[in-house]
Amino acid sequence: LATHLGLALFRQGLTVLQVYNRTPGKGRKLAARINALYTDNLSDLVPGADLYILAVSDSWLGQLVSRLHLKDSLVVHTSGSVELEILSPVSSRTGVFYPVQTFSKHRKINFRDIPICLEAESPESEMKLTKLAERLTRSVYLLDSGKRGLIHLGAVFASNFTNYLYSIAELLLRENDLPLNILEPLILQTARNVRRGNLFENQTGPAVRGDIQVLEKHRRLLADHPDYHEIYELISKHIILNRSLNGKL
Ligand SMILES: NC(=O)c1ccc[n+]([C@@H]2O[C@H](COP(=O)([O-])OP(=O)(O)OC[C@H]3O[C@@H](n4cnc5c(N)ncnc54)[C@H](OP(=O)(O)O)[C@@H]3O)[C@@H](O)[C@H]2O)c1
């Protein structure tokens, strides 16, 4: 995220003064791309910046905040699931800047369409972050930590889990010398159907049809993959259950 955010800020003509990263190879590379200074030492952070962005792994954030003291500078983290209060030991002015998107370092991303969820300790900080976010995107949401956590949970189901399911499909096809791109139009159409809302209405497949023979056949095909079999059973069970709750059974 630090790479994508750094590049997006730079492209908007904003000055990124400095990049911190414990790994010089990575940090120097990003700093050079966005015309910033680089440090691998937290005590060398440039003081008095308008904003400090902590785009680090959630597990390290807790340790990082005990080592950072930035007085009254505005400091944000970028996590979907971590409370705003975690930043209280760092500064009196704190916020959250959470872009709802999946970022991989080498995949190009256009920030214009990415929703950014903001939270801040005061209306002044909220205003500052809103102005910044609006330089990057058309879609800005002011949400407290509880609501942001729910958006993040939704994102895990909608993106992280579906990607894992794609990877299972990829493996099953590859094992049989079949290319994943046979499924690509299906994957893209399924994503496009999301715009229609009422998503369970879009559900197709053997479980929602109650097609027992096909379910049995798929179970047999998964005999060598007990883990995938378990996932198949669980999701099919829930689709069948949901189908009966929705009065389709
Ligand atoms: N990726 C996404 O799709 C995405 C989307 C929205 C929000 N976010 C949020 O953005 C934040 C960063 O996520 P990410 O996906 O960019 O994570 P990431 O690619 O794993 O990068 C984590 C960063 O934290 C640093 N770090 C981890 N442990 C450290 C330690 N013990 N000491 C010093 N540095 C350490 C890593 O340094 P090294 O480079 O040296 O390993 C790296 O720079 C998280 O809060 C995440 O929830 C991510």
Side-chain angles (χ1 to χ4, degrees):
L1 176 61
T3 299
H4 285 287
L5 198 49
L7 288 168
L9 294 170
F10 180 68
R11 285 187 192 120
Q12 280 305 309
L14 292 150
T15 305
V16 181
L17 288 172
Q18 189 181 37
V19 171
Y20 161 83
N21 191 292
R22 65 177 167 182
T23 315
K26 291 187 192 173
R28 280 214 175 90
K29 198 168 162 194
L30 175 60
R33 288 177 79 186
I34 61 177
N35 213 5
L37 299 167
Y38 164 73
T39 185
D40 60 359
N41 187 344
L42 284 175
S43 30
D44 287 344
L45 289 187
V46 173
D50 289 330
L51 177 65
Y52 293 82
I53 303 175
L54 311 183
V56 300
S57 55
D58 295 356
S59 56
W60 189 53
L61 189 59
Q63 293 173 52
L64 177 62
V65 297
S66 65
R67 292 171 56 190
L68 273 185
H69 301 287
L70 295 165
K71 290 189 186 160
D72 300 323
S73 299
L74 182 53
V75 182
V76 297
H77 73 66
T78 56
S79 170
S81 59
V82 178
E83 313 271 313
L84 170 67
E85 282 67 35
I86 195 172
L87 297 176
S88 303
V90 181
S91 170
S92 60
R93 298 172 59 217
T94 55
V96 179
F97 197 94
Y98 167 54
V100 188
Q101 183 52 283
T102 173
F103 296 91
S104 304
K105 205 167 192 174
H106 301 293
R107 295 213 195 279
K108 257 193 160 179
I109 286 263
N110 180 359
F111 260 83
R112 292 312 294 164
D113 299 319
I114 297 178
I116 296 184
C117 299
L118 301 178
E119 184 179 3
E121 103 301 335
S122 68
E124 290 75 24
S125 301
E126 191 178 281
M127 178 84 80
K128 217 170 171 184
L129 293 176
T130 303
K131 277 191 183 156
L132 176 67
E134 285 175 350
R135 296 275 296 261
L136 301 180
T137 178
R138 308 177 248 250
S139 183
V140 177
Y141 294 84
L142 298 171
L143 295 173
D144 63 25
S145 292
K147 291 206 172 93
R148 179 168 33 85
L150 288 169
I151 303 266
H152 184 241
L153 176 61
V156 168
F157 274 100
S159 171
N160 304 151
F161 288 176
T162 47
N163 189 66
Y164 185 66
L165 296 178
Y166 298 155
S167 76
I168 294 177
E170 182 185 27
L171 183 134
L172 293 172
L173 265 60
R174 197 188 290 151
E175 274 182 353
N176 293 283
D177 297 323
L178 293 163
L180 180 68
N181 61 14
I182 290 187
L183 295 184
E184 200 181 296
L186 173 71
I187 291 171
L188 297 178
Q189 186 59 46
T190 308
R192 278 194 291 268
N193 287 348
V194 166
R195 294 208 171 109
R196 288 200 234 142
N198 270 336
L199 298 187
F200 192 71
E201 291 289 313
N202 297 337
Q203 195 69 48
T204 58
V208 80
R209 284 196 302 270
D211 209 331
I212 306 295
Q213 284 176 347
V214 179
L215 289 167
E216 273 308 319
K217 185 173 181 183
H218 288 170
R219 286 177 185 123
R220 284 196 298 278
L221 286 170
L222 289 170
D224 293 338
H225 294 290
D227 292 350
Y228 301 160
H229 186 280
E230 198 181 331
I231 293 171
Y232 186 96
E233 280 303 326
L234 185 69
I235 296 182
S236 297
K237 188 181 100 184
H238 280 267
I239 292 173
I240 292 166
L241 189 69
N242 223 2
R243 178 174 166 250
S244 64
L245 291 175
N246 278 273
K248 288 191 174 179
L249 204 63

